[in-house]
Amino acid sequence: MINEKRLIDLFISFVETSSESGKEGKFRDLLITEFARRGINAKEDKAGEILGGDSGNLLVYIPGTINATPLLFSAHLDTVKPGEDIKAVVQEGLIKSVGPTILGADDKAAIAAIIEAYDVLIENNLDYPPLELLFTVSEEQGLKGAKAFDYSKIQAKMGYVLDGGGSPGNIILKSPAQNEIKFHIYGKAAHAGINPEDGINAINLAAKALASLPFGRIDEETTINFGLISGGKASNIVADYCYLLGEVRSLDKIKLDNITDKMVSTFTNSVTEQGGRVEAKVTLLYPEINLNPKDEVVTIVTHAAQNIGLTPILTNTGGGSDASIINGQGINCANLGIGMQNVHTIDEFISIEDLVNDTKLILAIIAEYIRHKGA
């Protein structure tokens, strides 16, 4: 039923339309046109204005052939850099970039599969429930588009984000909550060559305090990292200010908060004891996902995968996705593997087999959803 050539051509047209985070406008226009060709209206929200980008999120509502609660599918419009002027090629069953750019299978493989699945439904007169398709912006910048979306516009009670690692059949049950930590460290300026003893170097304060904190993988559920540091004005001035940006992730929210609190107090005490001052800000970037294998949203996709000959793999991840935000809005949502490989690098690729299986899995989920609901 799947038109493989049409699917590949659609996917290539998508990845060759640039949409780096904050600059998704051209790809948004292409998607609006694709849905309009099918008689479907894609509605854009105000997320672009809120986030300072050139596109908002797109919400597509497709009335079903049966009476049922809508089913949600979601993917993101944006890509990481370098994502301008991508040229894709098919070689030995793989689709990859021919230039020094990413491919953009993350996450345009999902979007191509969703549209091809809809075409198959229509061409074969298959039944389907009402479908809600959410395409977000700036996912790669911290799930910003999903955070800015108004979820009162969604009627679905369950859904699937197609943005996971691993082959089709991978079902992510758990992903971490993440706290962002910002430290502003204040010392005292002085001339570095004439009277350095009169100054308090904020960079030195930060370095000593940072050395007292744990880094990397703490346990199987928890990671800690500081990835940005800046401060000072010149090499001949004792730095009176330093800034640090870090994160803590954990599958266990209580553990996350306990570790974060301990890190902030340890860091603050160290800086204070050295004669400096620190301002700390902790922000929860997204909540954890903790699905059970017996949850309806999991059993449906598990059976769907089995029905098309895929092996369901229930797994966890250390990364966040739009599924984290959607779940936080009370919509049961699983993130699914789609077969994209070497993402965020110029060696990114996806196999045609996985692209086709993505489409098959979407169709199987829809069919299993109907059976499960008895519609």
Side-chain angles (χ1 to χ4, degrees), residues 57 150 219 226 266 285:
N57 302 306
D150 178 5
D219 56 36
F226 278 83
T266 299
L285 294 186

Side-chain angles (χ1 to χ4, degrees), residues 67-285:
N67 184 22
T69 303
L71 177 61
L72 173 68
F73 290 99
S74 182
H76 62 87
L77 301 175
D78 62 316
T79 72
V80 297
K81 298 179 179 180
E84 297 282 349
D85 300 319
I86 295 170
K87 297 298 179 186
V89 64
V90 178
Q91 291 181 347
E92 299 179 347
L94 305 179
I95 307 174
K96 54 188 178 180
S97 169
V98 298
T101 66
I102 60 163
L103 174 63
D106 177 13
D107 195 22
K108 293 176 180 178
I111 301 174
I114 288 170
I115 293 178
E116 174 63 21
Y118 174 75
D119 287 344
V120 171
L121 290 172
I122 298 303
E123 291 169 353
N124 293 273
N125 296 314
L126 300 175
D127 280 329
Y128 53 92
L131 300 174
E132 292 176 325
L133 312 178
L134 176 60
F135 303 110
T136 62
V137 295
S138 291
E139 188 272 350
E140 301 288 6
Q141 299 299 309
L143 318 180
K144 291 181 178 180
K147 292 177 183 178
F149 183 72
D150 178 5
Y151 288 89
S152 68
K153 298 182 183 299
I154 298 289
Q155 301 175 48
K157 303 303 181 186
M158 73 169 62
Y160 300 93
V161 167
L162 299 156
D163 188 28
S167 300
N170 275 259
I171 306 162
I172 298 171
L173 298 188
K174 294 183 179 182
S175 65
Q178 179 181 341
N179 279 341
E180 176 187 76
I181 304 177
K182 294 180 180 179
F183 286 128
H184 299 270
I185 304 98
Y186 299 92
K188 181 181 177 182
H191 194 288
I194 298 175
N195 60 327
E197 61 276 359
D198 292 333
I200 301 174
N201 192 305
I203 295 175
N204 189 40
L205 295 177
K208 291 180 178 179
L210 202 58
S212 66
L213 300 183
F215 266 75
R217 182 167 297 283
I218 307 307
D219 56 36
E220 62 182 10
E221 296 181 318
T222 311
T223 60
I224 296 173
N225 186 60
F226 278 83
L228 189 151
I229 181 170
S230 63
K233 298 181 178 69
S235 64
N236 62 349
I237 302 173
V238 174
D240 63 350
Y241 173 75
C242 185
Y243 170 74
L244 289 174
L245 178 64
E247 65 166 48
V248 186
R249 304 185 192 208
S250 183
L251 297 175
D252 185 325
K253 182 62 165 58
I254 294 176
K255 184 184 294 184
L256 173 79
D257 290 339
N258 288 340
I259 290 177
T260 301
D261 290 345
K262 185 175 181 180
M263 289 175 61
V264 170
S265 63
T266 299
F267 192 95
T268 300
N269 290 339
S270 175
V271 171
T272 302
E273 289 170 0
Q274 297 176 73
R277 180 173 65 87
V278 62
E279 295 175 357
K281 182 179 180 181
V282 176
T283 303
L284 177 65
L285 294 186

